[in-house]
Amino acid sequence: IEFAAETIDRLAVATSFQSSGLVILHLLRDIRPDLPILFMDTGFHFPETLDFKERIRDLWDLKPVELRGDHGSAERQAEIYGPRLYEKDPDRCCFINKVRPLQNALEEYDGWISGLRRDQSPLRTETPVIEAQLLPSGNEILKIHPLARWSRDQVNDYITTHAIPTHPLLERGYASIGCRPCTRAVTPGEP
């Protein structure tokens, strides 16, 4: 995080205000508190997510930049793509609400910080700490995963040690919190 903060002038951090992102935001408070914080406002977040984002924003005096799909709202998305796109074509729904808005926003930066960790899923086991990312425009930027080598236990230990609040849905059995229609609590032993 220090390397990125000291060497990349036009740097941003993207977070959904889950535990890994909170660790990164907490570490950045003393290094570069002015960094833009990109938040994908999909229109489908749990109310608890939006309330928690506001709570952390106020607690740490953050200035999140809310990114939205070109359609602007869940209602408009339903008008354009039909109702319940998240059920009919979840990849497209994620693309228009998360991927494209983030890619568009990243055109203004030379690098960005993400909270991805190798232990989060089988697809992330090879996540590098730093990688080049080619944007659709052809611009190449750096993507930094400072917690790539961290485990869930290390993140939780950091949160506990520094008395960082956690997303309220974590306490209700959610292992990860995404959009309301596509996320549910998990039962014991379930991945």
Side-chain angles (χ1 to χ4, degrees), residues 78-142:
E79 291 173 15
I80 296 169
Y81 299 99
R84 304 171 79 86
L85 181 64
Y86 46 80
E87 288 178 356
K88 293 183 285 190
D89 192 348
D91 290 339
R92 186 172 191 190
C93 190
C94 283
F95 181 79
I96 64 174
N97 285 296
K98 296 178 186 176
V99 176
R100 187 184 307 145
L102 180 61
Q103 288 175 338
N104 290 342
L106 291 175
E107 291 292 344
E108 297 182 31
Y109 302 101
D110 298 315
W112 67 291
I113 298 172
S114 163
L116 293 182
R117 297 189 330 268
R118 293 175 183 163
D119 73 340
Q120 289 175 316
S121 78
L123 294 175
R124 294 182 177 171
T125 58
E126 300 297 319
T127 298
V129 174
I130 298 175
E131 65 181 318
Q133 178 177 353
L134 187 63
L135 299 175
S137 66
N139 288 337
E140 187 174 270
I141 64 172
L142 289 178

